[in-house]
Amino acid sequence: MSDPLITLAAARRRLQHTPADISSSSNPKWRHLRELLESARERRRSGQTVLEGWHLLDAWLATGRPIRQLVIPQRTLQQLAGVPASDGDDIDESVEHSSPVQVAANAHWLILDDRLFGELDLLPSPSPVLAVVDTPRPLLPARLGEGGDIIVLDRVQDPGNVGAILRTAAAAGVQTLLTTPGTAACWAPKVLRAGMGGHFVMDIVENVAPHALQALVTHLPLAGTVLQGGQSLYGTDLRSPLAWVFGNEGEGIAPALQERLGLRLTIPQAAGVESLNVAASAAVCLFEQRRQRLV
Amino acid sequence: MSDPLITLAAARRRLQHTPADISSSSNPKWRHLRELLESARERRRSGQTVLEGWHLLDAWLATGRPIRQLVIPQRTLQQLAGVPASDGDDIDESVEHSSPVQVAANAHWLILDDRLFGELDLLPSPSPVLAVVDTPRPLLPARLGEGGDIIVLDRVQDPGNVGAILRTAAAAGVQTLLTTPGTAACWAPKVLRAGMGGHFVMDIVENVAPHALQALVTHLPLAGTVLQGGQSLYGTDLRSPLAWVFGNEGEGIAPALQERLGLRLTIPQAAGVESLNVAASAAVCLFEQRRQRLV
């Protein structure tokens, strides 16, 4: 990936507007930002979310999608001022609308007083940049499952698990992920952090009611793991597209969905120990499928 | 697993001492407990740690190892009083020293005022029981690696990742785990929680200096993943015992250890996306090894 600091420095040189300086906590833009970070309700209401840190910003810029606001603390602005113009920086005219530099330049820049930036409820890590974006809300594909595997998260509650599965799914090449009500919200900052950009290469459709799911997933067999009594993951042909269902941490897959599993799989594991965590289970399943397709 | 509430109720009926009631925050036992929960230094100094919640207590009891203190809030004590004596409860004489009931009965019981219990820095979850135990510190086996695979965590920093790998390793049947300095402390409450009892079925030796590691791991080839240029995980015979090395989240395996890898493996993944998280990578590697041995 590129160095987002260089990208931002180039974007800054072609800004068409003057960045807004914010130094008061009564500023409505600051308040909105704080609410987006702290409140799931506000994220739903506004249809927006916040990306924290260079890595997510970089991955988002690579998609070419617009950014509403780039939020930068004073100290990062000073860093940008110190980045020398690069060779490619002059070839302005040729830069596409969706290039990372142009996407960053088209955003509204908010420059935050360092103290105000420090007051935000950010994840523990030095992440001196934020981006406010419209939460992608893809429509359900009309012919779900004709484009490859899909993943269904059934009431997976832990944000770290949801993020980990998104990251793993992206690495496995899965492009569609659905969640049932009760699953942690995918676009929360903590899930985004764990997803490491996996969100941006997938179509994520949240809160699909189980009955809607049953109507939708008609092209693909549902595959899920059960602790005992399933057929061995390793003895099953997984090469055709599947709809993988990963269930709640404590309760597993809901009974109504369990009944509809075309493949009830068991991961053979050591005796007398706790079962795999759902994110580890997903990694084992998705990469076993990948292995079978590669060999 | 058993129902630990029934176990504790039976243990309570055979207590040889009167539980200590603690209702003041100036009580030294209470202070020690709080320090154990909050301070890595205090855990190191005392050689003790704290297990939170029923699941970890249950898994620990299954090992037969002693418990120093069982810490129970008033409200849980009231629950215990409501558990009827079970059939097996009278066959007292035959109960072994290491049976769960006897281990629980041999612990010192501290009954905490509910308010005091609520002031403890516990993980977010209803977990109305704590156990103070001596942190297991197994000696390094003299003939390391003759008993099967081992895992080396090289500066894996995130407690959630360390815990997840412990849980996965236990499920994969690995029995020895070493860490290099810079790895998150394995016996911290957060790691214990994520490990779900995996800790208790493994020998964990922490803070093994890299040069000591090199001298120790002479019987087994070191195996680790690299992002590019390694041999495919799926095309490599992994059936003989290996010393798996999993590295730091950002930097991977330290160069000195990388040089010594006998197997440099690459997990084939989709193009253009972030690599797998270290815990997902460990799950894929360990279960691919398990698959090869089973088929």
Side-chain angles (χ1 to χ4, degrees):
Chain A
M1 294 204 176
S2 61
D3 181 340
L5 206 59
I6 292 173
T7 304
L8 286 205
R12 187 180 175 218
R13 283 188 287 270
R14 70 178 71 192
L15 278 185
Q16 303 289 318
H17 64 281
T18 308
D21 278 305
I22 299 182
S23 55
S24 159
S25 58
S26 61
N27 183 302
K29 286 178 180 160
W30 148 264
R31 289 184 170 191
H32 175 59
L33 178 66
R34 208 181 56 182
E35 286 186 348
L36 279 181
L37 283 163
E38 293 176 6
S39 158
R41 174 181 296 191
E42 178 59 17
R43 288 192 293 271
R44 270 197 307 277
R45 192 200 62 73
S46 64
Q48 297 169 18
T49 191
V50 185
L51 316 179
E52 295 184 36
W54 293 110
H55 182 86
L56 285 181
L57 173 60
D58 201 25
W60 180 271
L61 287 172
T63 69
R65 290 184 207 159
I67 292 175
R68 282 186 175 267
Q69 295 173 336
L70 266 174
V71 184
I72 297 175
Q74 277 288 351
R75 66 177 187 278
T76 300
L77 194 69
Q78 284 155 15
Q79 271 186 288
L80 290 183
V83 177
S86 65
D87 291 347
D89 203 36
D90 294 330
I91 320 170
D92 287 13
E93 322 312 322
S94 70
V95 171
E96 292 172 49
H97 185 69
S98 64
S99 77
V101 171
Q102 199 55 50
V103 168
N106 287 342
H108 285 96
W109 287 40
L110 307 184
I111 310 302
L112 250 63
D113 182 283
D114 285 340
R115 185 186 50 77
L116 272 191
F117 195 86
E119 282 178 20
L120 293 170
D121 181 24
L122 302 177
L123 293 167
S125 151
S127 60
V129 66
L130 302 172
V132 176
V133 302
D134 286 343
T135 306
R137 293 287 176 212
L139 296 175
L140 276 175
R143 299 165 78 81
L144 195 67
E146 295 205 336
D149 308 294
I150 69 173
I151 289 177
V152 177
L153 299 188
D154 178 36
R155 300 163 303 131
V156 176
Q157 283 181 316
D158 180 75
N161 281 338
V162 173
I165 294 174
L166 274 158
R167 180 172 172 181
T168 297
V174 179
Q175 284 169 2
T176 307
L177 183 138
L178 315 181
T179 72
T180 65
T183 301
C186 291
W187 294 89
K190 201 172 170 185
V191 180
L192 279 160
R193 168 72 69 93
M196 288 288 277
H199 291 69
F200 310 155
V201 298
M202 300 179 75
D203 287 334
I204 300 172
V205 185
E206 298 186 274
N207 286 310
V208 181
H211 67 270
L213 197 65
Q214 300 190 11
L216 281 165
V217 188
T218 51
H219 294 76
L220 299 184
L222 293 183
T225 59
V226 293
L227 285 184
Q228 293 178 329
Q231 52 189 116
S232 165
L233 177 73
Y234 303 131
T236 305
D237 187 340
L238 307 169
R239 288 173 296 177
S240 302
L242 293 174
W244 289 99
V245 188
F246 301 113
N248 177 269
E249 288 85 351
E251 298 168 13
I253 300 169
L257 275 172
Q258 279 229 25
E259 280 172 18
R260 296 195 58 249
L261 290 182
L263 292 179
R264 293 169 56 87
L265 303 167
T266 294
I267 302 173
Q269 63 175 66
V273 298
E274 183 66 26
S275 64
L276 286 171
N277 161 277
V278 64
S281 173
V284 170
C285 290
L286 295 176
F287 275 83
E288 170 60 10
Q289 183 178 39
R290 198 164 168 78
R291 182 193 71 79
Q292 292 189 9
R293 288 176 180 160
L294 287 170
V295 296
Chain B
M1 295 207 178
S2 61
D3 182 338
L5 206 59
I6 292 172
T7 305
L8 285 205
R12 186 181 175 215
R13 283 188 287 272
R14 68 179 73 193
L15 277 186
Q16 303 290 320
H17 65 282
T18 308
D21 278 307
I22 299 183
S23 56
S24 157
S25 58
S26 62
N27 184 303
K29 286 177 179 161
W30 148 264
R31 289 183 172 192
H32 175 59
L33 179 66
R34 209 182 55 182
E35 286 186 348
L36 278 181
L37 283 163
E38 294 176 4
S39 158
R41 175 182 294 191
E42 179 59 17
R43 287 192 294 272
R44 270 199 306 276
R45 193 200 62 74
S46 65
Q48 297 169 17
T49 191
V50 185
L51 315 179
E52 296 185 37
W54 293 109
H55 181 86
L56 285 181
L57 173 60
D58 201 24
W60 180 272
L61 287 171
T63 69
R65 292 183 208 161
I67 291 175
R68 282 186 174 267
Q69 295 174 334
L70 265 174
V71 184
I72 297 175
Q74 277 289 351
R75 65 176 188 279
T76 300
L77 193 70
Q78 285 155 16
Q79 271 187 289
L80 290 184
V83 176
S86 65
D87 291 348
D89 202 34
D90 293 329
I91 320 170
D92 286 13
E93 322 311 324
S94 69
V95 170
E96 291 173 50
H97 185 70
S98 64
S99 77
V101 171
Q102 200 53 52
V103 167
N106 287 341
H108 286 97
W109 288 38
L110 307 184
I111 311 301
L112 251 61
D113 180 283
D114 286 341
R115 186 185 49 78
L116 272 191
F117 196 86
E119 283 178 19
L120 292 171
D121 181 25
L122 302 177
L123 293 167
S125 151
S127 60
V129 67
L130 302 172
V132 176
V133 301
D134 286 343
T135 306
R137 292 287 176 212
L139 296 175
L140 275 175
R143 300 165 78 80
L144 196 67
E146 296 205 337
D149 308 293
I150 68 173
I151 289 176
V152 178
L153 299 187
D154 177 36
R155 299 163 304 130
V156 176
Q157 283 181 315
D158 181 76
N161 281 337
V162 172
I165 294 173
L166 275 158
R167 180 172 173 182
T168 296
V174 179
Q175 284 169 2
T176 307
L177 182 138
L178 315 181
T179 71
T180 65
T183 301
C186 290
W187 294 89
K190 199 171 173 186
V191 180
L192 280 160
R193 168 71 69 91
M196 289 288 277
H199 291 70
F200 310 154
V201 298
M202 300 180 74
D203 287 333
I204 298 172
V205 185
E206 297 186 273
N207 286 311
V208 181
H211 68 269
L213 196 67
Q214 300 189 11
L216 281 165
V217 187
T218 51
H219 295 78
L220 298 184
L222 293 182
T225 58
V226 292
L227 285 184
Q228 293 178 330
Q231 52 190 114
S232 165
L233 177 74
Y234 303 130
T236 305
D237 187 340
L238 307 169
R239 288 172 297 177
S240 302
L242 293 174
W244 289 98
V245 188
F246 300 113
N248 175 269
E249 288 85 351
E251 299 168 13
I253 301 169
L257 276 171
Q258 279 230 26
E259 281 172 18
R260 297 194 59 248
L261 291 181
L263 291 178
R264 292 168 57 86
L265 304 167
T266 294
I267 301 173
Q269 63 175 65
V273 298
E274 185 62 26
S275 63
L276 286 170
N277 162 277
V278 63
S281 173
V284 170
C285 289
L286 295 176
F287 275 82
E288 169 59 12
Q289 183 179 39
R290 198 164 168 78
R291 181 193 71 79
Q292 292 188 10
R293 288 176 180 161
L294 287 169
V295 295

